[in-house]
Amino acid sequence: MTKNLLNLLFIAFSTFASAQIIGTVTDQKNEPLPFVNILVENTYKGTTSNNDGYYELNVTDLKTYNLVYTFLGYKTVKKQVQIDTFPFELNITLEEESVSLDEVVVNSEENPADAIIREAIAKRKENLEKINSFKADFYSRGLIKIVDAPEKILGQDVGDLGGNLDSTRTGIIYLSETISKIQYLRPDKLKEKITASKVSGDSNGFSFNNAIDVDYNFYNNTIPFGNEIISPIANNAFGYYRYKLEGVFYDERGNLINKINVIPRRENDPVFSGSIYIVEDQWTIYALELDITGAQARIPAADILSLKQTFSYSEENNIWALISQSLDFKYGLFGFKGDGRFTAVYSNYEFNQPLTKKDFGREIVAFENEANKKDSLFWNKIRPVPLTVEERTDYIKKDSIQLVKESKPYLDSIDAVRNKFKLGDILGYTYQDSQKDIRLGFDIPITDVKFNTVQGYTAKANVFFTKDYDDFNRYFSANANLEYGFSDDRLRATGALTYKFNDTSRRFLTLSGGVQVQQFNSANPINALENSIATLFFEENYMKLYERRFVQLNYSEELFNGFRFYSGISYENRSALFNTTDQTFYPKRNKEYTSNNPLDPTSASAPFENHNIVKVNVSARINFDQDYLSYPDRKVNLFSEKYPTLVLGYEKGLGATNSNYNFDQIKARLTQSFNIADKGRFRYNLRVGKFFNADDIAFMDFQHFNGNQINVSQRGNYTDVFNNLGYYDLSTNDSYLEMHAEHDFNGFILGKIPLLNKLNFNLVVGAHSLSTPNHKPYQEFTVGLDNIGWGKWRFLRVDYVRSYLGGFQGDAILFGLKFF
């Protein structure tokens, strides 16, 4: 009763906002039908019913309309209505469609579904090219819900997630809408102008659901759906699918529609399952209802994703065009369970417009100014899919809550509670002033207690201050980091002041300084936790350190699209350090630690002369073919897979107290990562550089190469490391060429092997090479299994590594851990 009353009240309110045809679509049992398409005949002007079966068709003229109601599995209904006054109520009942095999002539030599799919594949490219360009209106709604949330995670209270959860631990955590105009040019140009954007509970927010992210064209061989998923009518589809003809029926134009069941050949292949509807003789897609699991899409949190597309025919253009799409999903992770739906509606198509590449720049999504400031009257007039009762309630509740949460009394009361110092805050405390957007505090992380042979056990403390401006587009931060070494009895401190100027060019200026212990390889090839375990448990002290006293100024900014500039200048005093402890968990092993000298681990001598030096670094990162999204106050870059990223750099050491330590280096790096259709993902990383006037420079200024001597890695991929090379074995102060390549077959090979495909492992192969003037070329080859684990917890990778240096050098087994 309450639900119906809310619907009636909302309908009544809507009549004041716009001229409308309104009503409810139900089945023969009087149950509401969601996602029914309602179109003005022979046009792409229409709407879609919501989850309650309610619809609103915005029309302005008082005249006769021919309306078409279509819904998969139900007979299409046409209604001619004479509109004399608004609003005009028209309720519709749809009858179930009879899907029959009676009219199918079955050839015993071939599955009839296979014959239909072969025709669709043969016409795939022609149907893809029918639409050379178009303009259209686009609407999207995103809804994400939690249906069950734990009270605690790892002993920490989850709470109500900012008011999003009710007493039953359920609630809407994201609700948004987007209205935009889109333009398309074959084969892959798509741009979007967002005219209205609405996020529940955030009047300053911008929706992230847009046309670019839901562009799923099944006439392409693969669909970017987390993974590259094979289309049921791809050229190689028969290698991935089996097909069964479920039946046929006729649409309102008399076209024979074939309903074909799509069945994966192997459960973990990147494929869909469900139904695809093919128009006889035209061999085009009429509609589709397809599911995919999170494992197939390589989206671990997802249980199942369900995609539904409906097309409508244009007699004028002889084109079947997508008019509505829904993506439903269920997810579960860390005890949270939920579901959601992203709805998209396309209307007012203008096909094969005189568009050229000049009409498309790098800006692919742009928000109009004030796009997120449209009022409810605007949305009630233009929204093509009415809100459900649940969605209307969420908007009203969260908009009201936002007003309260932004008030000074509320912010002061929240701060008063949060700012009370409690006994549990002794290791970390934050004071905040929400009105002024200020946070300050300290942190003494227990997890940062580590061990090395230079400092012994180390403990850290951090002090911080931040001030945010303009909804976080600008900010100022100040922090100080303290580190105490218990064995060398030294307290060292560093600090930094950072100002971010904007969120468009993302200009940063940072002044830092202090005293720190640093690895000779500034890329930190072995992290502190790995070194602590290797040292204390196995007496392998691989981390080599020196002391750096410095003051440094850094500046970075994107000077123009795709070109980011970095610069830094520092004054440094460097001092050699030595082992101060031989502590170990197993002192009876009769094994000694190596020295802290990476040039001679058997000698306790200093690896360099203590000195002062000025260092200058200038570099540029160039992202070719970089598209971006434009918000009124920020810019979001999207890196292209088509072209690599190029980094050019120059480094200079000057004014050193030992003149031999002055040097120059030029360097370049080329990286790229891209999918090769259904064959997996390929990555490469190339580095080249050359030193000048650097015959006797300090060792920390050499070019070092990331090695790995502990047989464990936490890297996601290995295109920046040699996993069977010592950390400083081939460091150079001359020229160098470093090459890495890795291909993850992503189930392409192992997914086709019976029994093995049940494990859902991925085969990964890699090749790595390093050339320097004073050594023979070093090569390393790897073959491994990734995605090892159970259920959604697939955090392990195992590789066999074989290396050569003028001949076979050695082999190893590498264990890769990926927790995030």
Side-chain angles (χ1 to χ4, degrees):
M1 180 68 181
T2 303
K3 183 176 179 180
N4 292 333
L5 180 60
L6 283 171
N7 268 326
L8 289 172
L9 290 173
F10 185 70
I11 292 169
F13 174 78
S14 299
T15 62
F16 296 101
S18 63
Q20 291 170 326
I21 300 173
I22 61 175
T24 302
V25 185
T26 58
D27 62 14
Q28 291 173 296
K29 296 179 181 178
N30 204 33
E31 293 294 326
L33 291 177
F35 218 63
V36 177
N37 292 303
I38 302 101
L39 291 175
V40 177
E41 190 174 24
N42 294 324
T43 74
Y44 287 103
K45 181 176 180 61
T47 186
T48 302
S49 63
N50 66 16
N51 280 2
D52 301 327
Y54 175 67
Y55 75 93
E56 297 172 355
L57 178 60
N58 294 316
V59 292
T60 56
D61 298 330
L62 298 174
K63 65 176 186 179
T64 300
Y65 291 92
N66 292 316
L67 304 181
V68 181
Y69 296 76
T70 60
F71 186 58
L72 280 179
Y74 290 79
K75 293 180 180 179
T76 296
V77 170
K78 289 185 179 181
K79 284 286 185 179
Q80 185 180 82
V81 292
Q82 174 65 48
I83 307 298
D84 298 318
T85 183
F86 289 117
F88 185 90
E89 184 173 354
L90 180 60
N91 298 317
I92 297 294
T93 299
L94 298 184
E95 298 179 10
E96 287 191 39
E97 181 70 72
S98 175
V99 179
S100 171
L101 283 170
D102 293 345
E103 301 183 42
V104 178
V105 178
V106 177
N107 183 339
S108 60
E109 295 182 0
E110 183 176 22
N111 179 350
D114 289 354
I116 294 167
I117 293 296
R118 291 187 199 282
E119 294 285 1
I121 292 173
K123 292 273 287 186
R124 180 191 66 80
K125 189 175 181 182
E126 179 182 331
N127 285 322
L128 180 65
E129 295 175 352
K130 273 188 176 180
I131 300 178
N132 183 62
S133 65
F134 69 76
K135 295 180 179 180
D137 292 337
F138 175 79
Y139 168 81
S140 176
R141 182 183 302 161
L143 175 70
I144 303 176
K145 298 169 58 179
I146 289 178
V147 297
D148 186 22
E151 297 282 350
K152 294 184 177 182
I153 294 181
L154 300 176
Q156 299 296 315
D157 288 330
V158 172
D160 63 359
L161 299 182
N164 287 314
L165 299 180
D166 59 25
S167 59
T168 65
R169 310 298 293 164
T170 65
I172 295 175
I173 58 173
Y174 177 78
L175 171 62
S176 73
E177 297 176 272
T178 300
I179 294 284
S180 60
K181 294 186 177 297
I182 58 176
Q183 292 184 175
Y184 167 82
L185 179 66
R186 194 174 59 83
D188 57 2
K189 297 293 184 182
L190 181 63
K191 76 174 183 179
E192 181 175 12
K193 184 74 170 181
I194 295 178
T195 56
S197 176
K198 184 177 178 67
V199 179
S200 181
D202 187 358
S203 59
N204 295 316
F206 292 94
S207 54
F208 64 75
N209 37 300
N210 52 56
I212 303 296
D213 292 332
V214 294
D215 183 26
Y216 307 132
N217 191 332
F218 281 76
Y219 289 115
N220 290 320
N221 282 316
T222 61
I223 295 92
F225 206 83
N227 194 6
E228 287 290 325
I229 312 301
I230 310 300
S231 168
I233 58 171
N235 290 343
N236 59 343
F238 279 97
Y240 289 89
Y241 295 100
R242 292 182 289 108
Y243 303 94
K244 179 182 178 182
L245 181 60
E246 293 187 53
V248 299
F249 62 91
Y250 290 92
D251 72 356
E252 71 276 9
R253 290 183 173 83
N255 295 306
L256 180 67
I257 310 299
N258 300 282
K259 182 181 181 182
I260 297 175
N261 191 14
V262 175
I263 307 164
R265 289 188 178 274
R266 296 166 294 272
E267 63 177 330
N268 289 320
D269 275 352
V271 292
F272 297 96
S273 61
S275 298
I276 185 169
Y277 299 75
I278 302 294
V279 183
E280 186 81 12
D281 296 329
Q282 299 179 51
W283 313 118
T284 56
I285 300 174
Y286 174 82
L288 54 84
E289 296 173 302
L290 298 174
D291 297 335
I292 188 170
T293 66
Q296 291 169 321
R298 296 296 189 265
I299 305 175
D303 295 323
I304 190 78
L305 301 100
S306 301
L307 181 68
K308 181 176 179 179
Q309 289 186 341
T310 304
F311 294 75
S312 182
Y313 181 68
S314 167
E315 292 182 351
E316 178 182 352
N317 304 101
N318 188 28
I319 288 172
W320 288 88
L322 178 65
I323 57 170
S324 64
Q325 175 177 285
S326 65
L327 175 62
D328 293 84
F329 56 90
K330 293 182 179 180
Y331 66 89
L333 195 66
F334 299 119
F336 287 91
K337 294 180 180 180
D339 56 38
R341 166 179 282 186
F342 282 84
T343 302
V345 176
Y346 301 79
S347 60
N348 299 323
Y349 277 106
E350 298 176 46
F351 292 107
N352 298 324
Q353 296 294 297
L355 298 175
T356 68
K357 289 184 178 181
K358 294 181 180 179
D359 296 305
F360 297 82
R362 294 300 173 204
E363 182 186 66
I364 60 173
V365 176
F367 286 77
E368 285 187 355
N369 288 327
E370 305 296 316
N372 61 342
K373 304 301 180 185
K374 308 294 186 182
D375 60 23
S376 58
L377 292 176
F378 169 88
W379 282 101
N380 290 336
K381 180 179 179 180
I382 202 169
R383 179 186 288 123
V385 183
L387 297 173
T388 64
V389 172
E390 180 184 41
E391 291 164 344
R392 291 197 298 273
T393 302
D394 189 72
Y395 272 135
I396 294 170
K397 181 185 76 172
K398 288 182 180 175
D399 289 348
S400 300
I401 291 174
Q402 183 187 8
L403 292 175
V404 173
K405 286 186 173 182
E406 290 178 347
S407 66
K408 188 177 187 303
Y410 177 84
L411 293 175
D412 288 345
S413 66
I414 292 296
D415 288 346
V417 173
R418 289 178 177 173
N419 292 338
K420 285 183 179 178
F421 189 86
K422 301 176 288 293
L423 182 62
D425 295 329
I426 194 169
L427 295 179
Y429 171 76
T430 300
Y431 171 88
Q432 69 178 32
D433 186 328
S434 299
Q435 279 287 102
K436 297 179 179 179
D437 284 325
I438 288 174
R439 296 173 68 250
L440 60 93
F442 68 89
D443 185 27
I444 307 174
I446 295 295
T447 55
D448 266 358
V449 175
K450 303 295 191 301
F451 180 85
N452 64 71
T453 54
V454 170
Q455 298 169 282
Y457 284 99
T458 62
K460 293 183 178 180
N462 310 306
V463 182
F464 57 86
F465 169 86
T466 61
K467 164 66 178 174
D468 295 312
Y469 307 89
D470 306 333
D471 292 327
F472 316 114
N473 292 320
R474 296 184 296 135
Y475 69 76
F476 170 77
S477 71
N479 65 79
N481 300 304
L482 307 175
E483 182 181 64
Y484 180 72
F486 286 85
S487 180
D488 67 347
D489 193 23
R490 286 288 307 279
L491 178 66
R492 298 176 175 89
T494 60
L497 305 174
T498 298
Y499 186 75
K500 177 186 174 185
F501 290 81
N502 60 64
D503 221 5
T504 304
S505 67
R506 296 184 65 81
R507 184 193 310 166
F508 286 88
L509 182 66
T510 299
L511 176 64
S512 58
V515 184
Q516 65 180 173
V517 168
Q518 183 168 307
Q519 294 188 48
F520 282 87
N521 182 351
S522 60
N524 297 325
I526 180 170
N527 69 43
L529 176 61
E530 294 169 345
N531 180 73
S532 299
I533 295 172
T535 304
L536 290 170
F537 285 90
F538 305 102
E539 293 188 77
E540 301 287 359
N541 58 322
Y542 295 118
M543 183 181 286
K544 306 304 177 184
L545 306 164
Y546 72 97
E547 186 175 85
R548 176 176 178 253
R549 299 170 179 264
F550 70 100
V551 59
Q552 182 169 318
L553 184 67
N554 292 91
Y555 175 83
S556 66
E557 181 179 14
E558 185 179 49
L559 298 181
F560 53 87
N561 183 52
F563 186 95
R564 186 163 190 86
F565 172 76
Y566 301 86
S567 63
I569 183 170
S570 62
Y571 177 77
E572 304 179 13
N573 171 266
R574 289 118 156 230
S575 302
L577 296 175
F578 304 91
N579 289 347
T580 62
T581 178
D582 58 0
Q583 183 176 352
T584 177
F585 286 168
Y586 300 99
K588 297 181 180 180
R589 280 188 170 179
N590 196 26
K591 186 176 182 180
E592 294 183 355
Y593 286 125
T594 60
S595 76
N596 191 50
N597 185 341
L599 293 171
D600 185 1
T602 64
S603 170
S605 61
F608 63 93
E609 175 186 311
N610 295 351
H611 63 281
N612 301 328
I613 193 171
V614 175
K615 289 192 70 175
V616 176
N617 283 279
V618 179
S619 64
R621 186 186 68 202
I622 305 169
N623 295 312
F624 300 100
D625 199 37
Q626 177 179 278
D627 293 330
Y628 63 92
L629 286 64
S630 287
Y631 293 78
D633 55 357
R634 61 190 171 102
K635 175 174 180 273
V636 177
N637 295 325
L638 305 174
F639 300 125
S640 171
E641 291 188 355
K642 292 182 180 179
Y643 299 98
T645 294
L646 174 64
V647 179
L648 301 174
Y650 171 71
E651 183 179 21
K652 184 176 183 63
L654 68 155
T657 50
N658 181 339
S659 60
N660 291 329
Y661 286 179
N662 296 329
F663 70 96
D664 298 89
Q665 184 191 181
I666 57 173
K667 49 191 172 181
R669 180 183 181 190
L670 199 67
T671 61
Q672 191 177 8
S673 174
F674 55 89
N675 287 314
I676 304 177
D678 61 325
K679 311 297 189 299
R681 191 164 191 86
F682 181 75
R683 297 179 174 90
Y684 69 84
N685 179 16
L686 309 177
R687 276 197 180 96
V688 62
K690 171 67 176 174
F691 284 86
F692 300 92
N693 307 314
D695 292 342
D696 297 307
I697 63 174
F699 188 64
M700 67 281 291
D701 292 321
F702 277 47
Q703 179 66 33
H704 305 290
F705 308 99
N706 293 334
N708 187 359
Q709 294 174 258
I710 63 172
N711 300 108
V712 174
S713 176
Q714 297 184 53
R715 300 171 185 264
N717 63 78
Y718 301 145
T719 54
D720 195 30
V721 61
F722 297 98
N723 279 310
N724 206 25
L725 180 69
Y727 294 107
Y728 298 102
D729 285 357
L730 298 179
S731 300
T732 184
N733 58 344
D734 203 334
S735 57
Y736 56 90
L737 173 62
E738 179 182 1
M739 298 183 289
H740 304 270
E742 187 173 271
H743 186 74
D744 183 345
F745 285 95
N746 205 10
F748 177 71
I749 292 179
L750 299 184
K752 295 177 171 61
I753 301 175
L755 298 182
L756 206 63
N757 59 14
K758 301 289 185 181
L759 299 174
N760 202 21
F761 294 166
N762 296 338
L763 177 66
V764 185
V765 297
H768 312 262
S769 177
L770 175 61
S771 296
T772 60
N774 300 324
H775 296 89
K776 292 181 179 180
Y778 174 82
Q779 290 101 23
E780 194 173 278
F781 302 95
T782 62
V783 58
L785 295 176
D786 198 3
N787 207 43
I788 301 173
W790 60 92
K792 296 178 180 180
W793 304 100
R794 296 185 169 269
F795 54 85
L796 179 62
R797 170 176 170 176
V798 179
D799 286 76
Y800 171 71
V801 187
R802 192 173 181 89
S803 59
Y804 298 84
L805 183 63
F808 173 70
Q809 183 188 44
D811 51 11
I813 300 295
L814 178 71
F815 296 90
L817 301 175
K818 300 183 297 182
F819 296 105
F820 299 101

